[in-house]
Amino acid sequence: MYLEIKKAHIGYTTPLISNAHADLKLGDVCLLIGNNGVGKTTLIKSILHQLPLLDGEILIDGKNVKTLSVKEIAEHIAIVFSKAAVPQHYTVEDLISLGKYIYYPFYFELKKEDRDEVAHIIEELDLKQYQSILLKNLSDGNLQKAFIGRAITQNSPIIILDEPTTHLDEKNKITILKTLRKLAKEQNKLILFSSHDWRLAKEFADKIWYVKDKTLYTGIVEDILLQHDELTNASLFQIHESFIPPYISAPQFHKEMLYSLLQKNFPKNLSSLSFEFQKPFWVITKDSTQYRYESFEEIINFIKNIHQY
């Protein structure tokens, strides 16, 4: 294993995460997930040895991080934080080129193979039209992509990203995650990224690290999602305590959409209804009578009529 956490207590004066055990190998893509304030960023800082452990140890390639210099950690790990200082007079190409900094003296000129690599990464991240643009003139999404590009050019075996898709639209989010997974599989990189969206794990990650109640749960994505119903259960977002859901038979996404629609519009008991999605219709059963509706607007009007809203 290339990254190992052993009996680690992670936090400041008191642990945010207790007795953590986890490991990842080169080639793994892992999502770090958990609510705000549970210790995700603190865990990342501990891996970087920016914050010492309260107890236990973290190993990189068999070496305890507390024995490594800042330069040695940078050679092992490239990092992208969700908030970073923006060098105002740098272009996109300048920033991405900085990933080579750890391999050269402070003042350096890139070799041709380095420039070619930077150009390739700019192309991969769909930033070519912005490569000469000053960072201060970029959108939040393209700025985030440029910082990720810098981490990629660092050529470290581990890339850690703290909320890397926060400012990205869906197209750019997929571009970034596909690029990261390709890196992991084709260049044997270990990718660890944090997010609030479990769907990203299902589509792009191999492993999950899930922080809840001071515990770090780890494993294969599908195992962790099935073991922790709250990650995928739409009732997590219920806003009316009086709402009792109906039976819903549908693909997961459609089920979540219907659940959300019903619980925010009807704060009452809907257990006398059942819904089954038969594309493109929703079949609603009430008192052995079936009704077919194609749109959610029709469903709202139907329920309003039967409950005399």
Side-chain angles (χ1 to χ4, degrees):
M1 291 300 171
Y2 201 84
L3 174 60
E4 298 176 85
I5 299 175
K6 296 183 176 182
K7 299 181 181 178
H9 294 269
I10 296 160
Y12 294 87
T13 54
T14 58
L16 287 169
I17 304 172
S18 298
N19 199 31
H21 293 263
D23 55 64
L24 295 170
K25 65 182 185 298
L26 295 177
D28 281 342
V29 180
C30 180
L31 173 68
L32 172 59
I33 196 167
N35 292 334
N36 287 333
V38 297
K40 298 191 301 296
T41 300
T42 305
L43 172 56
I44 289 172
K45 288 181 176 180
S46 298
I47 292 171
L48 298 169
H49 198 51
Q50 294 178 356
L51 179 69
L53 294 175
L54 299 173
D55 199 5
E57 58 183 357
I58 294 177
L59 307 176
I60 298 174
D61 196 19
K63 299 170 185 173
N64 195 312
V65 293
K66 68 182 181 182
T67 68
L68 300 177
S69 67
V70 172
K71 184 176 185 296
E72 286 173 323
I73 289 176
E75 288 171 349
H76 284 287
I77 304 175
I79 180 73
V80 180
F81 281 113
S82 54
K83 295 179 182 178
V86 179
Q88 294 295 299
H89 301 293
Y90 277 47
T91 65
V92 168
E93 187 174 18
D94 292 335
L95 179 65
I96 293 176
S97 299
L98 277 181
K100 296 298 180 186
Y101 169 75
I102 63 171
Y103 303 105
Y104 290 89
F106 185 72
Y107 295 101
F108 65 89
E109 183 176 346
L110 293 183
K111 297 176 183 176
K112 181 181 183 303
E113 56 264 35
D114 294 325
R115 292 196 300 271
D116 290 345
E117 184 181 345
V118 169
H120 175 70
I121 290 167
I122 288 172
E123 191 82 40
E124 282 275 300
L125 295 177
D126 197 22
L127 288 172
K128 188 163 181 59
Q129 61 181 313
Y130 304 107
Q131 71 180 54
S132 300
I133 302 296
L134 291 176
L135 299 175
K136 64 183 180 181
N137 296 328
L138 288 179
S139 67
D140 286 344
N142 284 321
L143 181 62
Q144 181 76 334
K145 286 165 70 177
F147 274 108
I148 291 170
R150 183 188 66 176
I152 294 171
T153 59
Q154 194 170 314
N155 280 337
S156 301
I158 301 173
I159 301 177
I160 297 178
L161 308 104
D162 189 16
E163 302 281 356
T165 59
T166 299
H167 301 295
L168 301 180
D169 58 28
E170 290 303 311
K171 178 185 175 183
N172 283 320
K173 185 183 295 186
I174 291 169
T175 296
I176 288 295
L177 293 172
K178 285 173 69 175
T179 300
L180 291 172
R181 186 164 181 87
K182 184 178 178 183
L183 272 173
K185 302 307 175 184
E186 294 184 2
Q187 297 186 28
N188 209 30
K189 304 284 189 185
L190 190 166
I191 309 290
L192 174 64
F193 69 102
S194 65
S195 176
H196 289 89
D197 189 350
W198 64 268
R199 292 172 186 82
L200 299 183
K202 188 167 68 69
E203 301 302 329
F204 293 97
D206 306 301
K207 306 281 185 65
I208 283 185
W209 287 4
Y210 175 36
V211 184
K212 183 183 74 168
D213 298 333
K214 295 188 177 183
T215 299
L216 179 62
Y217 297 93
T218 68
I220 295 291
V221 166
E222 290 73 15
D223 286 337
I224 298 297
L225 291 180
L226 290 175
Q227 289 165 12
H228 298 275
D229 185 58
E230 72 276 6
L231 287 174
T232 58
N233 192 337
S235 65
L236 179 67
F237 304 101
Q238 187 168 315
I239 58 176
H240 295 296
E241 291 184 4
S242 55
F243 174 70
I244 300 177
Y247 171 77
I248 302 173
S249 174
Q252 184 65 34
F253 181 72
H254 290 76
K255 186 174 182 178
E256 287 185 22
M257 293 287 283
L258 179 62
Y259 189 103
S260 297
L261 176 85
L262 297 178
Q263 68 91 17
K264 68 187 177 186
N265 285 289
F266 303 106
K268 62 187 335 175
N269 187 342
L270 298 183
S271 60
S272 63
L273 304 176
S274 69
F275 291 76
E276 183 179 356
F277 187 65
Q278 297 178 2
K279 189 176 182 179
F281 297 102
W282 284 96
V283 178
I284 307 173
T285 303
K286 177 175 172 54
D287 300 330
S288 300
T289 302
Q290 291 190 333
Y291 308 83
R292 294 162 66 88
Y293 297 108
E294 192 168 355
S295 73
F296 285 128
E297 184 173 0
E298 291 173 316
I299 291 172
I300 286 180
N301 290 333
F302 167 76
I303 297 175
K304 283 181 177 179
N305 286 334
I306 64 173
H307 285 287
Q308 297 181 346
Y309 273 79

